[in-house]
Amino acid sequence: DAKTTQPPSMDCAEGRAANLPCNHSTISGNEYVYWYRQIHSQGPQYIIHGLKNNETNEMASLIITEDRKSSTLILPHATLRDTAVYYCIALEYGNKLVFGAGTILRVKS
Amino acid sequence: DAGITQSPRHKVTETGTPVTLRCHQTENHRYMYWYRQDPGHGLRLIHYSYGVKDTDKGEVSDGYSVSRSKTEDFLLTLESATSSQTSVYFCAISDPSYRYTFGSGTRLTVV
C-alpha cells in the first residue's frame, strides 16, 4: 500500500475546525484513504474512509483532492476529547492495516 | 469497543512462561488481527486470521503463535515470554469494508 506523510503534530483551538492534512502521492487507483485516531491508552478508532469522493459522517469529513495525491480530515468543531494521534492510511481492500507515526492533534481551550 | 473484548486487560508474567491472550468478537466477522504497540515503533501486526483455522504471519510474528478454532475467538500465545515482548497488545476485527474495530488492549509485562 502507498506510503502516507503527515505532520508530526498540530494544535487547534477548542470549538474551531481541525484540518489534518495527509499526502499520499503514490496512491493507486484501488487504494482507499482511511483515517483512524488513537486516544491515549485506548485502541485505535475508525473515523472515516473514502476512495475518490468527499465523505462525511457524524465524526468528520474527508476531502480528497481530484488527483488523489492528498487528503484532509476535518473535525468541524474540535473538543478537548478530540486530542489524539490521527493516522492516515492508504489501504487496498484485502490488505492489512499498517500504521505510521500519525499526527498528534492537541486541542486547547 | 462494542463487539470485541480482550482478556486479560493486564498481566504480569515471568520470563520463560507461556502466556495466552484472548480476543472475543460478537460481530461474526471473518478477519481478526493481533497488533502490538511499543513506544517508538507504533502499532505493528503480529498475526491475523481470515477464517476458522486460517491464519497468517504479520510483520513481527517471531515468538508468537495464534489459533482460531471458532469464528468468535482468536488466541495469541507467547510460547516462552521474553522481556522484549513486554508491550500493549491490541486485537482487531474488520468488516467487509475493512473498517477495523480494536479492542481495549492487554498490557503485558514480562519480568
Side-chain angles (χ1 to χ4, degrees), chain A residues 9-74:
Chain A
S9 65
M10 295 181 61
D11 290 340
C12 177
E14 189 177 22
R16 304 296 295 269
N19 296 283
L20 291 91
C22 180
N23 287 318
H24 30 79
S25 58
T26 62
I27 197 168
S28 73
N30 295 326
E31 289 178 305
Y32 290 74
V33 178
Y34 285 78
W35 284 85
Y36 285 78
R37 73 180 181 183
Q38 187 173 24
I39 298 169
H40 181 63
S41 297
Q42 299 179 20
Q45 176 189 24
Y46 166 82
I47 302 173
I48 199 167
H49 77 288
L51 185 63
K52 298 180 188 177
N53 300 322
N54 297 337
E55 302 286 345
T56 295
N57 63 20
E58 66 278 4
M59 290 182 67
S61 295
L62 173 61
I63 308 298
I64 303 174
T65 58
E66 193 167 342
D67 63 8
R68 301 213 323 124
K69 292 185 177 183
S70 66
S71 60
T72 302
L73 178 74
I74 301 172

Side-chain angles (χ1 to χ4, degrees), chain A residues 34 36 38 46 94 96-97, chain B residues 35 37 48 97-100:
Chain A
Y34 285 78
Y36 285 78
Q38 187 173 24
Y46 166 82
K96 313 301 166 283
L97 210 56
Chain B
Y35 287 82
Q37 186 168 33
Y48 63 97
S97 294
Y98 292 91
R99 291 174 294 194
Y100 284 48

Side-chain angles (χ1 to χ4, degrees), chain A residues 96, chain B residues 30 32 34 46-58 64-69 73-75:
Chain A
K96 313 301 166 283
Chain B
R30 180 181 172 196
M32 299 185 75
W34 278 106
I46 305 171
H47 280 281
Y48 63 97
S49 171
Y50 45 96
V52 173
K53 292 186 169 47
D54 291 324
T55 65
D56 207 345
K57 297 178 180 179
Y64 302 94
S65 62
V66 290
S67 65
R68 191 161 176 207
S69 59
D73 291 325
F74 192 32
L75 304 181

Side-chain angles (χ1 to χ4, degrees), chain B residues 4-63:
Chain B
I4 181 170
T5 55
Q6 293 184 233
S7 60
R9 292 296 311 278
H10 301 272
K11 186 169 182 67
V12 179
T13 192
E14 293 187 348
T15 298
T17 61
V19 176
T20 295
L21 308 184
R22 180 178 182 245
C23 179
H24 179 77
Q25 64 149 329
T26 58
E27 305 297 321
N28 202 36
H29 287 326
R30 180 181 172 196
Y31 285 90
M32 299 185 75
Y33 313 83
W34 278 106
Y35 287 82
R36 62 178 288 177
Q37 186 168 33
D38 307 287
H41 289 283
L43 283 140
R44 293 178 292 174
L45 181 65
I46 305 171
H47 280 281
Y48 63 97
S49 171
Y50 45 96
V52 173
K53 292 186 169 47
D54 291 324
T55 65
D56 207 345
K57 297 178 180 179
E59 179 188 359
V60 289
S61 60
D62 287 349

